[in-house]
Amino acid sequence: MSAADRARSAATGLDRSRVALYLVLLAMVAFYLAPLESGLMTAFKTPEGFRTTTPFALPPIGEFTVSAWGMAFERLSSGLLNSAMMAVPATVLSALFGSLAAYGLTNLSWRGQIGVLMLFVAGVFIPYQAVLVPLTQFWSFVDLGGRIPLAFVDEYQGLINLGITHVAYGIPICTVLFRSYYATIDEDMLEAARLDGASAATIYRRIVLPLSVPIFAVTLIYQFTQIWNDLLFAIVLVSDPSNQVVTVALNQLQGSFVQQFNLQMAGAFVAALPTLVVYVLFGEQFAKGVAGET
Amino acid sequence: MAQLELDSVTKRFGEGDESVLAVDDVNVDIADGEFLVLVGPSGCGKSTTLRMVAGLESITDGEIRLGGDRMNEKRPAERDIAMVFQSYALYPHMTVRQNMRFGLEESTDLDDDEMDERVEDTAELLDITELLDRKPGALSGGQQQRVALGRAIVREPAAFLMDEPLSNLDAKLRSQMRTELQQLQDDLDTTTVYVTHDQTEAMTMGDRIAILDAGELQQVATPLEAYHRPANRFVAGFIGEPSMNFVEGAVDGDALTADGFRYPLGESVAAAVDGSANATLGIRPEDITVDGSGSLEGDHTFDATVDVVEPMGDENVVHLSIDGGPQLIATVDGLRRIESGTAVTVEIPEEAIHVFDGSSGEALHNRSLDDAELDDRRV
């Protein structure tokens, strides 16, 4: 066999395995995207359209409509607003508290910190379901609306309760995320700052916090997605319909007699949109944070 | 500016049976404006000592005083000291200017203009003015080193602490910075403690050097004193490159004997070693005479074979074996040609030998040298 032949057969061999690889990848992409594609197609169909075609087919001529999107947006708008009002502060607060706790547990040394850290780690593993009853009892006992005479607190009591619950529930995982990042911060640098006269609080504010941007991006995206998508706490803790969050509103798009699949699909996309926006906004920092860059 | 005193300073890590004694009863008085180099092998406790002075490590026992004030309980910020770290420890998100201002902002009441002025002046002194608006990530190692120095100098502290500040630089830059740092310390006249494991830095930079081993202070002396009058075998071996030769032997009347080696001792040396059963003979490589012509004669000459020759340019490092006896390292002039494998005669002149106790390592006899000469050469 000449060298040229060998090269050609190597090339075809390579081609075959390449082709196989791409086919497998393509199949996996199709498998992964099929539900999304079906949802998107269904959302643009009239009821007649989604009854007469398969879910992933294009809308038939004459059966294309955007009315489902309009209606979904209309029925979810107050839920979107409520979710945003609750999820944004809750996300920021849990990240901030997690960051502070991680700084205290990682970069400062004091007696008994390992024990406290263990409590935080244990907190990560408490399942939502396990705390539903104590949680409802806790909030009926605390009764913020009755104790704080502010119209705002009274009006949004359900959302405030839900937000605080999410903050408390998010602190352990945020702390663990921040801790692994803070463990890589140069110890000498923090000591240099101490010698420069900075207090522990100043070191956090002027050195640690500015260096935490990538890990904040990771934590914010993670926490926002968690809090935004939560249904369980929202159902249990929020009874007032005016305080309803988007996941609960989405759940109610399910009709009792007629299944309006186009409306449900459009609603699902509308409800998921903010989490996508957050990914796009913090994407670059997120990648840095995941890669562990300082 | 102030005098820094370490009085019986001890550091013990851990508690009970598992505790480790890192620094054992160290006493050093560092005069105002003095440059003291703390030198020793890795793990000898030199960095721990420095960190205790800085307040980054608690003091188990003893007292550290700066300008007469007890420092033990003071927080690092209250001690009026600045430290330069081996890793430079610059704040990566701040510009050089902000890095240098940070300490001023946190520890002084200066107004903005005064701070800017101090930063500008220090930057000029260190020739880093054009770097002021860059961030540390955009600087070379040498430039970062200067900024780290600048950050310490700008605060005008009572004392500088430097923890191996040059060890991350390449050899050429290191020797350049060594000279520069000495000049700077001379100009500023600030009490400085400089930690290094590099004996060249210790010899060339310090007014005095303090040699530590296993947490214990071995000797505090001027570089030349430590070189010519080492207090013990450890100091003798640590200071000097190539190291001093040691021949371990027994004291046999007026001679020192080892396998295939007998070195007759003169009256005064014999008197000094009297009472020790074992002793170690020490001789610096440059004090050994190597002769290929066979004209050397006397009690202190030995037949030897050249094993390896390492040409350094200015000198040749010659590894020798005394026939049937110990191995030695000698240095000879760089222009002399010596081939490995040749038979030579070596002389170990008695006026240049050191003798250490075989068990304790204490110096029993040091080379004869005019004390006046030692003082004259002091910088």
Side-chain angles (χ1 to χ4, degrees), chain A:
Chain A
M1 205 161 41
S2 76
D5 285 343
R6 238 191 322 251
R8 203 170 306 133
S9 82
T12 43
L14 192 74
D15 275 354
R16 261 186 222 135
S17 66
R18 281 257 134 162
V19 168
L21 176 69
Y22 284 141
L23 282 177
V24 170
L25 286 177
L26 215 60
M28 286 167 78
V29 168
F31 183 73
Y32 183 78
L33 288 181
L36 285 176
E37 195 266 353
S38 302
L40 207 58
M41 290 303 134
T42 309
F44 283 110
K45 288 173 187 171
T46 60
E48 180 61 25
F50 67 72
R51 262 199 304 277
T52 54
T53 57
T54 47
F56 47 81
L58 283 167
I61 297 158
E63 304 296 343
F64 175 88
T65 175
V66 291
S67 65
W69 291 86
M71 193 190 284
F73 191 76
E74 194 187 309
R75 300 225 349 226
L76 294 181
S77 60
S78 97
L80 281 171
L81 195 66
N82 284 340
S83 272
M85 280 198 310
M86 183 276 297
V88 171
T91 302
V92 172
L93 280 178
S94 56
L96 196 65
F97 287 149
S99 156
L100 272 167
Y103 171 66
L105 287 167
T106 314
N107 305 111
L108 305 179
S109 70
W110 38 280
R111 212 170 267 276
Q113 65 187 146
I114 294 297
V116 176
L117 176 68
M118 304 254 277
L119 289 178
F120 276 89
V121 174
V124 176
F125 298 104
I126 300 175
Y128 277 26
Q129 292 81 351
V131 294
L132 287 181
V133 174
L135 208 54
T136 39
Q137 284 186 328
F138 173 80
W139 283 122
S140 67
F141 168 75
V142 169
D143 183 25
L144 282 180
R147 281 164 208 266
I148 305 172
L150 286 173
F152 170 81
V153 176
D154 205 38
E155 192 181 343
Y156 292 110
Q157 188 175 352
L159 280 179
I160 292 171
N161 291 354
L162 183 60
I164 292 174
T165 307
H166 277 306
V167 171
Y169 227 82
I171 287 174
I173 184 69
C174 290
T175 306
V176 171
L177 284 171
F178 273 103
R179 185 181 147 81
S180 64
Y181 190 78
Y182 287 169
T184 67
I185 286 186
D186 180 16
E187 196 63 35
D188 283 351
M189 184 179 65
L190 302 181
E191 286 180 344
R194 273 172 72 194
L195 284 165
D196 268 346
S199 63
T202 311
I203 293 174
Y204 176 74
R205 186 171 53 82
R206 295 197 58 184
I207 300 195
V208 174
L209 200 57
L211 290 175
S212 307
V213 173
I215 192 67
F216 258 105
V218 173
T219 314
L220 288 178
I221 289 183
Y222 176 81
Q223 257 321 87
F224 183 78
T225 312
Q226 288 286 313
I227 295 175
W228 185 272
N229 288 342
D230 166 72
L231 178 63
L232 188 61
F233 279 174
I235 288 178
V236 174
L237 294 180
V238 182
S239 46
D240 182 355
S242 70
N243 275 211
Q244 209 171 53
V245 295
V246 73
T247 44
V248 177
L250 178 64
N251 197 38
Q252 287 169 356
L253 288 184
Q254 204 172 357
S256 41
F257 298 110
V258 188
Q259 291 296 342
Q260 291 175 285
F261 288 119
N262 56 349
L263 178 63
Q264 286 175 40
M265 291 305 150
F269 281 105
V270 169
L273 211 58
T275 52
L276 280 177
V277 170
V278 170
Y279 268 97
V280 172
L281 282 181
F282 296 104
E284 196 182 328
Q285 294 294 344
F286 180 79
K288 274 192 199 169
V290 170
E293 278 177 40
T294 8

Side-chain angles (χ1 to χ4, degrees), chain B residues 3-10 23 25-30 36 38 45-46 48-53 59 61-66 72 161 193 210 212 217:
Chain B
Q3 183 186 14
L4 179 63
E5 296 159 278
L6 277 68
D7 188 356
S8 302
V9 171
T10 299
V23 177
D25 195 29
V26 167
N27 291 289
V28 194
D29 282 357
I30 304 151
L36 181 97
L38 212 55
K46 55 192 192 297
T48 307
T49 307
L50 195 74
R51 290 169 59 82
M52 282 193 282
V53 176
I59 300 160
D61 218 351
E63 193 172 76
I64 292 176
R65 289 183 294 271
L66 182 62
N72 292 37
L161 307 178
V193 183
L212 273 155
L217 193 61

